[in-house]
Amino acid sequence: MDQNQTNLLQGTLDLLILKAIGAGELHGLGISRRIEQITHGTFRVKPGSLFPALHRMEEAGWLSSDWGESENNRRAKFYRLTKAGHRQLGTETRQWAKVALAMADALKAT
Amino acid sequence: MDQNQTNLLQGTLDLLILKAIGAGELHGLGISRRIEQITHGTFRVKPGSLFPALHRMEEAGWLSSDWGESENNRRAKFYRLTKAGHRQLGTETRQWAKVALAMADALKAT
DNA sequence: GTTCTCCTATCGGCTGGCTATATGAGTCTG
DNA sequence: CAGACTCATATAGCCAGCCGATAGGAGAAC
């Protein structure tokens, strides 16, 4: 059933996107590439997951966007974090740390 | 919106259940208590999440069950891992480690 | 000027956890 | 012994959100 790559855990996508944009504005596919890069290929976010997430997060007020031109002179929408987005990045990072710690504890239990 | 406790990440519930039973057979509520214990209270699995998961996992062939009597003389269904369940525990543990590592890398990136 | 790549976009489907509710059986209290 | 409470399992309905498939426009390549 599970063919090749690791799927995202639901709930981690937002954090990865926030983190990817945190370092500077990026357009959609750029975010996708950046996530693949910083996770060393473990996570590959496909368009069908990415764009709905971006729209959702912009709706939530964490991102803002402007049309511009990509490195290849293509029309592209650039996303950056709003103030609320920065806060959200902090919140989700702390929450992830908590979860990761809890899981580590659980898995080393007898 | 989010009141008090951390929600599970989708996909972690199975692993926690497998791990909880891995140490020896338990009945439903016992599994729930054990998860809360080994995650030091971070995860609280409520019946409405637990039982559907148990049925799903039994259906998948990872668990088997028998009716017995609880510590309090109550009718209870005891679950234990099948061989496939042990394999699954291994698989999901490795998968989690991979994910956790990737996330750690991502979050410490510039 | 056809083909390819880049970039954004949407839809339908499905998985799976959550809230709320129900039910039965043993225990405890007065 | 009647009523309340606890333990334990169970289900139905809901909804968020990821996935695969698919589409289409616009610049580049040749």
mmCIF file of all heavy atoms in Angstrom, chain B residues 58-108:
data_model
loop_
_atom_site.group_PDB
_atom_site.id
_atom_site.type_symbol
_atom_site.label_atom_id
_atom_site.label_comp_id
_atom_site.label_asym_id
_atom_site.label_seq_id
_atom_site.Cartn_x
_atom_site.Cartn_y
_atom_site.Cartn_z
ATOM 1 N N GLU B 58 -7.552 -4.427 14.989
ATOM 2 C CA GLU B 58 -7.828 -5.863 15.054
ATOM 3 C C GLU B 58 -8.194 -6.369 13.659
ATOM 4 O O GLU B 58 -7.735 -7.416 13.224
ATOM 5 C CB GLU B 58 -8.952 -6.150 16.046
ATOM 6 C CG GLU B 58 -9.123 -7.639 16.320
ATOM 7 C CD GLU B 58 -10.055 -7.911 17.496
ATOM 8 O OE1 GLU B 58 -10.765 -6.978 17.935
ATOM 9 O OE2 GLU B 58 -10.073 -9.061 17.977
ATOM 10 N N GLU B 59 -8.999 -5.572 12.990
ATOM 11 C CA GLU B 59 -9.387 -5.866 11.609
ATOM 12 C C GLU B 59 -8.155 -6.011 10.714
ATOM 13 O O GLU B 59 -8.098 -6.866 9.829
ATOM 14 C CB GLU B 59 -10.282 -4.724 11.090
ATOM 15 C CG GLU B 59 -10.862 -4.942 9.710
ATOM 16 C CD GLU B 59 -11.943 -6.017 9.709
ATOM 17 O OE1 GLU B 59 -12.450 -6.368 10.812
ATOM 18 O OE2 GLU B 59 -12.259 -6.526 8.639
ATOM 19 N N ALA B 60 -7.165 -5.168 10.979
ATOM 20 C CA ALA B 60 -5.941 -5.181 10.181
ATOM 21 C C ALA B 60 -5.041 -6.368 10.537
ATOM 22 O O ALA B 60 -4.030 -6.605 9.881
ATOM 23 C CB ALA B 60 -5.175 -3.873 10.377
ATOM 24 N N GLY B 61 -5.393 -7.064 11.600
ATOM 25 C CA GLY B 61 -4.634 -8.247 11.970
ATOM 26 C C GLY B 61 -3.460 -7.984 12.904
ATOM 27 O O GLY B 61 -2.619 -8.852 13.118
ATOM 28 N N TRP B 62 -3.409 -6.809 13.486
ATOM 29 C CA TRP B 62 -2.287 -6.483 14.370
ATOM 30 C C TRP B 62 -2.568 -6.855 15.821
ATOM 31 O O TRP B 62 -1.654 -7.042 16.604
ATOM 32 C CB TRP B 62 -1.954 -4.980 14.302
ATOM 33 C CG TRP B 62 -1.641 -4.505 12.928
ATOM 34 C CD1 TRP B 62 -1.197 -5.265 11.876
ATOM 35 C CD2 TRP B 62 -1.755 -3.178 12.424
ATOM 36 N NE1 TRP B 62 -1.034 -4.486 10.764
ATOM 37 C CE2 TRP B 62 -1.356 -3.198 11.073
ATOM 38 C CE3 TRP B 62 -2.134 -1.949 13.001
ATOM 39 C CZ2 TRP B 62 -1.344 -2.054 10.278
ATOM 40 C CZ3 TRP B 62 -2.129 -0.805 12.210
ATOM 41 C CH2 TRP B 62 -1.741 -0.872 10.867
ATOM 42 N N LEU B 63 -3.852 -6.934 16.139
ATOM 43 C CA LEU B 63 -4.247 -7.255 17.511
ATOM 44 C C LEU B 63 -5.175 -8.466 17.511
ATOM 45 O O LEU B 63 -5.870 -8.717 16.537
ATOM 46 C CB LEU B 63 -5.014 -6.081 18.142
ATOM 47 C CG LEU B 63 -4.414 -4.685 18.064
ATOM 48 C CD1 LEU B 63 -5.315 -3.694 18.783
ATOM 49 C CD2 LEU B 63 -3.024 -4.675 18.653
ATOM 50 N N SER B 64 -5.165 -9.179 18.615
ATOM 51 C CA SER B 64 -6.221 -10.157 18.832
ATOM 52 C C SER B 64 -6.760 -9.917 20.236
ATOM 53 O O SER B 64 -6.104 -9.296 21.073
ATOM 54 C CB SER B 64 -5.693 -11.579 18.688
ATOM 55 O OG SER B 64 -4.728 -11.843 19.673
ATOM 56 N N SER B 65 -7.951 -10.400 20.499
ATOM 57 C CA SER B 65 -8.603 -10.059 21.762
ATOM 58 C C SER B 65 -9.372 -11.233 22.340
ATOM 59 O O SER B 65 -9.793 -12.141 21.627
ATOM 60 C CB SER B 65 -9.573 -8.896 21.542
ATOM 61 O OG SER B 65 -10.605 -9.288 20.660
ATOM 62 N N ASP B 66 -9.543 -11.213 23.638
ATOM 63 C CA ASP B 66 -10.377 -12.181 24.346
ATOM 64 C C ASP B 66 -11.070 -11.490 25.507
ATOM 65 O O ASP B 66 -10.484 -10.612 26.146
ATOM 66 C CB ASP B 66 -9.502 -13.311 24.929
ATOM 67 C CG ASP B 66 -9.018 -14.253 23.845
ATOM 68 O OD1 ASP B 66 -9.853 -14.899 23.220
ATOM 69 O OD2 ASP B 66 -7.782 -14.292 23.617
ATOM 70 N N TRP B 67 -12.279 -11.926 25.746
ATOM 71 C CA TRP B 67 -12.998 -11.388 26.893
ATOM 72 C C TRP B 67 -12.443 -11.993 28.170
ATOM 73 O O TRP B 67 -12.084 -13.172 28.199
ATOM 74 C CB TRP B 67 -14.489 -11.710 26.794
ATOM 75 C CG TRP B 67 -15.172 -10.882 25.757
ATOM 76 C CD1 TRP B 67 -15.494 -11.257 24.489
ATOM 77 C CD2 TRP B 67 -15.599 -9.525 25.897
ATOM 78 N NE1 TRP B 67 -16.091 -10.215 23.827
ATOM 79 C CE2 TRP B 67 -16.183 -9.145 24.668
ATOM 80 C CE3 TRP B 67 -15.548 -8.594 26.939
ATOM 81 C CZ2 TRP B 67 -16.707 -7.871 24.441
ATOM 82 C CZ3 TRP B 67 -16.071 -7.330 26.721
ATOM 83 C CH2 TRP B 67 -16.646 -6.973 25.486
ATOM 84 N N GLY B 68 -12.361 -11.161 29.199
ATOM 85 C CA GLY B 68 -11.880 -11.646 30.481
ATOM 86 C C GLY B 68 -12.415 -10.763 31.585
ATOM 87 O O GLY B 68 -13.442 -10.107 31.404
ATOM 88 N N GLU B 69 -11.720 -10.766 32.699
ATOM 89 C CA GLU B 69 -12.191 -9.955 33.809
ATOM 90 C C GLU B 69 -11.125 -8.953 34.214
ATOM 91 O O GLU B 69 -9.957 -9.291 34.351
ATOM 92 C CB GLU B 69 -12.540 -10.851 34.997
ATOM 93 C CG GLU B 69 -13.961 -10.603 35.476
ATOM 94 C CD GLU B 69 -14.351 -11.554 36.585
ATOM 95 O OE1 GLU B 69 -13.673 -11.532 37.629
ATOM 96 O OE2 GLU B 69 -15.324 -12.318 36.399
ATOM 97 N N SER B 70 -11.542 -7.715 34.411
ATOM 98 C CA SER B 70 -10.609 -6.651 34.769
ATOM 99 C C SER B 70 -10.201 -6.776 36.236
ATOM 100 O O SER B 70 -10.715 -7.619 36.961
ATOM 101 C CB SER B 70 -11.255 -5.300 34.532
ATOM 102 O OG SER B 70 -12.173 -5.013 35.561
ATOM 103 N N GLU B 71 -9.309 -5.908 36.664
ATOM 104 C CA GLU B 71 -8.854 -5.858 38.054
ATOM 105 C C GLU B 71 -10.020 -5.624 39.004
ATOM 106 O O GLU B 71 -9.961 -5.987 40.171
ATOM 107 C CB GLU B 71 -7.845 -4.720 38.244
ATOM 108 C CG GLU B 71 -6.847 -4.519 37.114
ATOM 109 C CD GLU B 71 -7.454 -3.790 35.918
ATOM 110 O OE1 GLU B 71 -7.820 -2.611 36.037
ATOM 111 O OE2 GLU B 71 -7.585 -4.442 34.858
ATOM 112 N N ASN B 72 -11.067 -4.992 38.471
ATOM 113 C CA ASN B 72 -12.231 -4.652 39.300
ATOM 114 C C ASN B 72 -13.425 -5.574 39.061
ATOM 115 O O ASN B 72 -14.556 -5.164 39.261
ATOM 116 C CB ASN B 72 -12.646 -3.206 39.021
ATOM 117 C CG ASN B 72 -11.498 -2.245 39.226
ATOM 118 O OD1 ASN B 72 -10.733 -2.385 40.170
ATOM 119 N ND2 ASN B 72 -11.361 -1.289 38.331
ATOM 120 N N ASN B 73 -13.125 -6.769 38.594
ATOM 121 C CA ASN B 73 -14.183 -7.746 38.329
ATOM 122 C C ASN B 73 -15.214 -7.272 37.315
ATOM 123 O O ASN B 73 -16.378 -7.590 37.425
ATOM 124 C CB ASN B 73 -14.909 -8.138 39.629
ATOM 125 C CG ASN B 73 -13.960 -8.807 40.590
ATOM 126 O OD1 ASN B 73 -12.885 -9.266 40.188
ATOM 127 N ND2 ASN B 73 -14.342 -8.855 41.850
ATOM 128 N N ARG B 74 -14.739 -6.453 36.380
ATOM 129 C CA ARG B 74 -15.634 -6.036 35.314
ATOM 130 C C ARG B 74 -15.307 -6.808 34.047
ATOM 131 O O ARG B 74 -14.161 -7.178 33.826
ATOM 132 C CB ARG B 74 -15.449 -4.536 35.052
ATOM 133 C CG ARG B 74 -16.518 -3.631 35.534
ATOM 134 C CD ARG B 74 -16.910 -3.872 36.961
ATOM 135 N NE ARG B 74 -17.770 -2.807 37.476
ATOM 136 C CZ ARG B 74 -17.295 -1.736 38.095
ATOM 137 N NH1 ARG B 74 -16.013 -1.597 38.289
ATOM 138 N NH2 ARG B 74 -18.145 -0.816 38.541
ATOM 139 N N ARG B 75 -16.323 -7.036 33.257
ATOM 140 C CA ARG B 75 -16.175 -7.678 31.965
ATOM 141 C C ARG B 75 -15.321 -6.774 31.076
ATOM 142 O O ARG B 75 -15.653 -5.599 30.889
ATOM 143 C CB ARG B 75 -17.578 -7.855 31.359
ATOM 144 C CG ARG B 75 -17.704 -8.810 30.219
ATOM 145 C CD ARG B 75 -19.202 -9.054 29.972
ATOM 146 N NE ARG B 75 -19.477 -9.296 28.559
ATOM 147 C CZ ARG B 75 -19.674 -8.324 27.671
ATOM 148 N NH1 ARG B 75 -19.662 -7.061 28.044
ATOM 149 N NH2 ARG B 75 -19.901 -8.627 26.406
ATOM 150 N N ALA B 76 -14.229 -7.310 30.563
ATOM 151 C CA ALA B 76 -13.328 -6.465 29.771
ATOM 152 C C ALA B 76 -12.687 -7.283 28.658
ATOM 153 O O ALA B 76 -12.508 -8.496 28.781
ATOM 154 C CB ALA B 76 -12.241 -5.885 30.669
ATOM 155 N N LYS B 77 -12.380 -6.604 27.565
ATOM 156 C CA LYS B 77 -11.772 -7.278 26.423
ATOM 157 C C LYS B 77 -10.269 -7.009 26.438
ATOM 158 O O LYS B 77 -9.831 -5.864 26.390
ATOM 159 C CB LYS B 77 -12.385 -6.746 25.131
ATOM 160 C CG LYS B 77 -12.301 -7.711 23.957
ATOM 161 C CD LYS B 77 -12.681 -7.020 22.663
ATOM 162 C CE LYS B 77 -14.067 -7.415 22.189
ATOM 163 N NZ LYS B 77 -14.460 -6.674 20.971
ATOM 164 N N PHE B 78 -9.513 -8.085 26.492
ATOM 165 C CA PHE B 78 -8.062 -7.942 26.576
ATOM 166 C C PHE B 78 -7.417 -8.093 25.200
ATOM 167 O O PHE B 78 -7.715 -9.035 24.482
ATOM 168 C CB PHE B 78 -7.477 -8.975 27.536
ATOM 169 C CG PHE B 78 -7.753 -8.642 28.966
ATOM 170 C CD1 PHE B 78 -8.965 -8.995 29.559
ATOM 171 C CD2 PHE B 78 -6.817 -7.939 29.713
ATOM 172 C CE1 PHE B 78 -9.232 -8.658 30.878
ATOM 173 C CE2 PHE B 78 -7.082 -7.596 31.034
ATOM 174 C CZ PHE B 78 -8.293 -7.963 31.622
ATOM 175 N N TYR B 79 -6.549 -7.149 24.916
ATOM 176 C CA TYR B 79 -5.873 -7.116 23.614
ATOM 177 C C TYR B 79 -4.417 -7.494 23.755
ATOM 178 O O TYR B 79 -3.772 -7.156 24.749
ATOM 179 C CB TYR B 79 -5.952 -5.715 23.003
ATOM 180 C CG TYR B 79 -7.330 -5.338 22.529
ATOM 181 C CD1 TYR B 79 -8.222 -4.679 23.380
ATOM 182 C CD2 TYR B 79 -7.746 -5.636 21.238
ATOM 183 C CE1 TYR B 79 -9.493 -4.337 22.953
ATOM 184 C CE2 TYR B 79 -9.016 -5.297 20.799
ATOM 185 C CZ TYR B 79 -9.885 -4.649 21.657
ATOM 186 O OH TYR B 79 -11.149 -4.316 21.230
ATOM 187 N N ARG B 80 -3.919 -8.211 22.733
ATOM 188 C CA ARG B 80 -2.470 -8.438 22.666
ATOM 189 C C ARG B 80 -2.020 -8.377 21.210
ATOM 190 O O ARG B 80 -2.846 -8.410 20.295
ATOM 191 C CB ARG B 80 -2.105 -9.776 23.311
ATOM 192 C CG ARG B 80 -2.298 -11.013 22.483
ATOM 193 C CD ARG B 80 -2.275 -12.259 23.332
ATOM 194 N NE ARG B 80 -3.534 -12.411 24.062
ATOM 195 C CZ ARG B 80 -4.688 -12.786 23.474
ATOM 196 N NH1 ARG B 80 -4.732 -13.046 22.187
ATOM 197 N NH2 ARG B 80 -5.802 -12.902 24.173
ATOM 198 N N LEU B 81 -0.720 -8.249 21.029
ATOM 199 C CA LEU B 81 -0.173 -8.129 19.678
ATOM 200 C C LEU B 81 -0.101 -9.485 18.996
ATOM 201 O O LEU B 81 0.285 -10.475 19.614
ATOM 202 C CB LEU B 81 1.243 -7.536 19.718
ATOM 203 C CG LEU B 81 1.398 -6.094 20.202
ATOM 204 C CD1 LEU B 81 2.849 -5.641 20.022
ATOM 205 C CD2 LEU B 81 0.456 -5.168 19.477
ATOM 206 N N THR B 82 -0.459 -9.518 17.726
ATOM 207 C CA THR B 82 -0.188 -10.688 16.903
ATOM 208 C C THR B 82 1.240 -10.568 16.374
ATOM 209 O O THR B 82 1.913 -9.569 16.639
ATOM 210 C CB THR B 82 -1.145 -10.736 15.702
ATOM 211 O OG1 THR B 82 -0.923 -9.561 14.918
ATOM 212 C CG2 THR B 82 -2.588 -10.760 16.159
ATOM 213 N N LYS B 83 1.673 -11.553 15.619
ATOM 214 C CA LYS B 83 2.995 -11.449 15.001
ATOM 215 C C LYS B 83 3.062 -10.238 14.077
ATOM 216 O O LYS B 83 4.022 -9.477 14.096
ATOM 217 C CB LYS B 83 3.307 -12.719 14.207
ATOM 218 C CG LYS B 83 4.138 -13.709 14.994
ATOM 219 C CD LYS B 83 4.474 -14.946 14.165
ATOM 220 C CE LYS B 83 4.883 -16.104 15.092
ATOM 221 N NZ LYS B 83 4.815 -17.412 14.426
ATOM 222 N N ALA B 84 2.000 -10.098 13.278
ATOM 223 C CA ALA B 84 1.942 -8.943 12.380
ATOM 224 C C ALA B 84 1.961 -7.643 13.181
ATOM 225 O O ALA B 84 2.520 -6.634 12.743
ATOM 226 C CB ALA B 84 0.692 -9.001 11.514
ATOM 227 N N GLY B 85 1.357 -7.674 14.359
ATOM 228 C CA GLY B 85 1.347 -6.496 15.226
ATOM 229 C C GLY B 85 2.751 -6.132 15.698
ATOM 230 O O GLY B 85 3.111 -4.956 15.746
ATOM 231 N N HIS B 86 3.525 -7.149 16.045
ATOM 232 C CA HIS B 86 4.916 -6.896 16.433
ATOM 233 C C HIS B 86 5.703 -6.284 15.282
ATOM 234 O O HIS B 86 6.460 -5.335 15.477
ATOM 235 C CB HIS B 86 5.583 -8.190 16.913
ATOM 236 C CG HIS B 86 5.352 -8.486 18.352
ATOM 237 N ND1 HIS B 86 4.503 -9.478 18.796
ATOM 238 C CD2 HIS B 86 5.835 -7.894 19.470
ATOM 239 C CE1 HIS B 86 4.491 -9.489 20.125
ATOM 240 N NE2 HIS B 86 5.293 -8.531 20.557
ATOM 241 N N ARG B 87 5.490 -6.863 14.101
ATOM 242 C CA ARG B 87 6.179 -6.295 12.927
ATOM 243 C C ARG B 87 5.775 -4.839 12.729
ATOM 244 O O ARG B 87 6.607 -3.976 12.473
ATOM 245 C CB ARG B 87 5.821 -7.102 11.671
ATOM 246 C CG ARG B 87 6.636 -8.360 11.493
ATOM 247 C CD ARG B 87 6.555 -8.883 10.058
ATOM 248 N NE ARG B 87 5.185 -9.171 9.640
ATOM 249 C CZ ARG B 87 4.547 -10.312 9.909
ATOM 250 N NH1 ARG B 87 5.154 -11.273 10.598
ATOM 251 N NH2 ARG B 87 3.305 -10.504 9.490
ATOM 252 N N GLN B 88 4.473 -4.592 12.856
ATOM 253 C CA GLN B 88 3.952 -3.248 12.654
ATOM 254 C C GLN B 88 4.555 -2.280 13.669
ATOM 255 O O GLN B 88 4.889 -1.146 13.335
ATOM 256 C CB GLN B 88 2.426 -3.266 12.764
ATOM 257 C CG GLN B 88 1.756 -1.946 12.403
ATOM 258 C CD GLN B 88 1.948 -1.582 10.941
ATOM 259 O OE1 GLN B 88 2.326 -2.414 10.122
ATOM 260 N NE2 GLN B 88 1.729 -0.322 10.625
ATOM 261 N N LEU B 89 4.669 -2.727 14.894
ATOM 262 C CA LEU B 89 5.284 -1.894 15.934
ATOM 263 C C LEU B 89 6.700 -1.499 15.526
ATOM 264 O O LEU B 89 7.093 -0.331 15.648
ATOM 265 C CB LEU B 89 5.300 -2.646 17.268
ATOM 266 C CG LEU B 89 6.049 -1.998 18.438
ATOM 267 C CD1 LEU B 89 5.546 -0.580 18.708
ATOM 268 C CD2 LEU B 89 5.916 -2.851 19.709
ATOM 269 N N GLY B 90 7.431 -2.456 15.004
ATOM 270 C CA GLY B 90 8.789 -2.161 14.533
ATOM 271 C C GLY B 90 8.772 -1.157 13.398
ATOM 272 O O GLY B 90 9.499 -0.156 13.434
ATOM 273 N N THR B 91 7.941 -1.419 12.426
ATOM 274 C CA THR B 91 7.856 -0.537 11.262
ATOM 275 C C THR B 91 7.503 0.893 11.659
ATOM 276 O O THR B 91 8.166 1.841 11.242
ATOM 277 C CB THR B 91 6.767 -1.042 10.288
ATOM 278 O OG1 THR B 91 7.081 -2.373 9.909
ATOM 279 C CG2 THR B 91 6.697 -0.164 9.059
ATOM 280 N N GLU B 92 6.473 1.014 12.470
ATOM 281 C CA GLU B 92 6.014 2.357 12.832
ATOM 282 C C GLU B 92 7.004 3.078 13.741
ATOM 283 O O GLU B 92 7.131 4.296 13.692
ATOM 284 C CB GLU B 92 4.636 2.291 13.494
ATOM 285 C CG GLU B 92 3.559 1.826 12.520
ATOM 286 C CD GLU B 92 2.154 2.275 12.919
ATOM 287 O OE1 GLU B 92 2.023 3.176 13.767
ATOM 288 O OE2 GLU B 92 1.187 1.716 12.366
ATOM 289 N N THR B 93 7.711 2.311 14.544
ATOM 290 C CA THR B 93 8.723 2.922 15.400
ATOM 291 C C THR B 93 9.846 3.517 14.552
ATOM 292 O O THR B 93 10.271 4.652 14.762
ATOM 293 C CB THR B 93 9.312 1.889 16.375
ATOM 294 O OG1 THR B 93 8.257 1.363 17.183
ATOM 295 C CG2 THR B 93 10.359 2.528 17.278
ATOM 296 N N ARG B 94 10.286 2.721 13.573
ATOM 297 C CA ARG B 94 11.341 3.238 12.685
ATOM 298 C C ARG B 94 10.859 4.450 11.892
ATOM 299 O O ARG B 94 11.594 5.409 11.691
ATOM 300 C CB ARG B 94 11.787 2.135 11.720
ATOM 301 C CG ARG B 94 12.715 1.116 12.356
ATOM 302 C CD ARG B 94 13.289 0.152 11.322
ATOM 303 N NE ARG B 94 12.266 -0.642 10.659
ATOM 304 C CZ ARG B 94 11.740 -1.752 11.163
ATOM 305 N NH1 ARG B 94 12.139 -2.210 12.345
ATOM 306 N NH2 ARG B 94 10.820 -2.415 10.499
ATOM 307 N N GLN B 95 9.597 4.374 11.466
ATOM 308 C CA GLN B 95 9.050 5.482 10.694
ATOM 309 C C GLN B 95 8.964 6.748 11.533
ATOM 310 O O GLN B 95 9.268 7.840 11.066
ATOM 311 C CB GLN B 95 7.658 5.109 10.183
ATOM 312 C CG GLN B 95 7.410 5.529 8.762
ATOM 313 C CD GLN B 95 6.164 4.853 8.218
ATOM 314 O OE1 GLN B 95 5.102 4.878 8.827
ATOM 315 N NE2 GLN B 95 6.292 4.231 7.062
ATOM 316 N N TRP B 96 8.567 6.574 12.758
ATOM 317 C CA TRP B 96 8.498 7.725 13.642
ATOM 318 C C TRP B 96 9.890 8.335 13.843
ATOM 319 O O TRP B 96 10.064 9.556 13.816
ATOM 320 C CB TRP B 96 7.904 7.364 15.001
ATOM 321 C CG TRP B 96 8.044 8.503 15.944
ATOM 322 C CD1 TRP B 96 9.002 8.671 16.901
ATOM 323 C CD2 TRP B 96 7.245 9.699 15.964
ATOM 324 N NE1 TRP B 96 8.849 9.889 17.513
ATOM 325 C CE2 TRP B 96 7.778 10.535 16.963
ATOM 326 C CE3 TRP B 96 6.140 10.139 15.225
ATOM 327 C CZ2 TRP B 96 7.242 11.795 17.245
ATOM 328 C CZ3 TRP B 96 5.618 11.388 15.515
ATOM 329 C CH2 TRP B 96 6.157 12.191 16.513
ATOM 330 N N ALA B 97 10.877 7.504 14.039
ATOM 331 C CA ALA B 97 12.239 7.988 14.251
ATOM 332 C C ALA B 97 12.691 8.825 13.061
ATOM 333 O O ALA B 97 13.301 9.885 13.220
ATOM 334 C CB ALA B 97 13.187 6.805 14.457
ATOM 335 N N LYS B 98 12.353 8.349 11.878
ATOM 336 C CA LYS B 98 12.714 9.066 10.655
ATOM 337 C C LYS B 98 12.037 10.431 10.603
ATOM 338 O O LYS B 98 12.670 11.451 10.304
ATOM 339 C CB LYS B 98 12.282 8.207 9.459
ATOM 340 C CG LYS B 98 12.821 8.647 8.131
ATOM 341 C CD LYS B 98 12.458 7.605 7.061
ATOM 342 C CE LYS B 98 12.610 8.169 5.653
ATOM 343 N NZ LYS B 98 12.094 7.207 4.640
ATOM 344 N N VAL B 99 10.762 10.432 10.903
ATOM 345 C CA VAL B 99 9.998 11.676 10.898
ATOM 346 C C VAL B 99 10.539 12.650 11.939
ATOM 347 O O VAL B 99 10.727 13.839 11.663
ATOM 348 C CB VAL B 99 8.503 11.389 11.172
ATOM 349 C CG1 VAL B 99 7.766 12.658 11.534
ATOM 350 C CG2 VAL B 99 7.876 10.713 9.961
ATOM 351 N N ALA B 100 10.799 12.140 13.138
ATOM 352 C CA ALA B 100 11.272 12.997 14.223
ATOM 353 C C ALA B 100 12.616 13.613 13.863
ATOM 354 O O ALA B 100 12.867 14.796 14.118
ATOM 355 C CB ALA B 100 11.383 12.188 15.517
ATOM 356 N N LEU B 101 13.459 12.820 13.235
ATOM 357 C CA LEU B 101 14.767 13.316 12.822
ATOM 358 C C LEU B 101 14.615 14.402 11.767
ATOM 359 O O LEU B 101 15.244 15.463 11.846
ATOM 360 C CB LEU B 101 15.598 12.151 12.263
ATOM 361 C CG LEU B 101 17.034 12.494 11.880
ATOM 362 C CD1 LEU B 101 17.801 12.962 13.119
ATOM 363 C CD2 LEU B 101 17.743 11.290 11.253
ATOM 364 N N ALA B 102 13.767 14.138 10.784
ATOM 365 C CA ALA B 102 13.546 15.113 9.712
ATOM 366 C C ALA B 102 13.008 16.418 10.275
ATOM 367 O O ALA B 102 13.418 17.511 9.870
ATOM 368 C CB ALA B 102 12.591 14.546 8.672
ATOM 369 N N MET B 103 12.084 16.322 11.213
ATOM 370 C CA MET B 103 11.514 17.529 11.808
ATOM 371 C C MET B 103 12.571 18.279 12.612
ATOM 372 O O MET B 103 12.641 19.504 12.558
ATOM 373 C CB MET B 103 10.331 17.166 12.712
ATOM 374 C CG MET B 103 9.084 16.755 11.965
ATOM 375 S SD MET B 103 8.423 18.034 10.863
ATOM 376 C CE MET B 103 7.831 19.236 12.052
ATOM 377 N N ALA B 104 13.367 17.548 13.335
ATOM 378 C CA ALA B 104 14.424 18.186 14.114
ATOM 379 C C ALA B 104 15.377 18.939 13.190
ATOM 380 O O ALA B 104 15.752 20.083 13.456
ATOM 381 C CB ALA B 104 15.185 17.138 14.929
ATOM 382 N N ASP B 105 15.744 18.309 12.086
ATOM 383 C CA ASP B 105 16.594 18.966 11.095
ATOM 384 C C ASP B 105 15.928 20.239 10.580
ATOM 385 O O ASP B 105 16.547 21.298 10.513
ATOM 386 C CB ASP B 105 16.856 18.034 9.904
ATOM 387 C CG ASP B 105 17.882 16.964 10.235
ATOM 388 O OD1 ASP B 105 18.567 17.106 11.269
ATOM 389 O OD2 ASP B 105 17.993 15.997 9.462
ATOM 390 N N ALA B 106 14.668 20.098 10.211
ATOM 391 C CA ALA B 106 13.938 21.233 9.647
ATOM 392 C C ALA B 106 13.893 22.389 10.635
ATOM 393 O O ALA B 106 14.104 23.550 10.266
ATOM 394 C CB ALA B 106 12.531 20.810 9.262
ATOM 395 N N LEU B 107 13.633 22.081 11.887
ATOM 396 C CA LEU B 107 13.420 23.149 12.861
ATOM 397 C C LEU B 107 14.716 23.826 13.275
ATOM 398 O O LEU B 107 14.695 24.967 13.733
ATOM 399 C CB LEU B 107 12.692 22.608 14.092
ATOM 400 C CG LEU B 107 11.244 22.194 13.797
ATOM 401 C CD1 LEU B 107 10.576 21.662 15.062
ATOM 402 C CD2 LEU B 107 10.456 23.362 13.229
ATOM 403 N N LYS B 108 15.825 23.147 13.088
ATOM 404 C CA LYS B 108 17.082 23.813 13.427
ATOM 405 C C LYS B 108 17.719 24.474 12.198
ATOM 406 O O LYS B 108 18.760 25.126 12.310
ATOM 407 C CB LYS B 108 18.057 22.850 14.114
ATOM 408 C CG LYS B 108 18.741 21.873 13.205
ATOM 409 C CD LYS B 108 19.842 21.120 13.961
ATOM 410 C CE LYS B 108 20.480 20.057 13.098
ATOM 411 N NZ LYS B 108 20.236 18.685 13.576
#
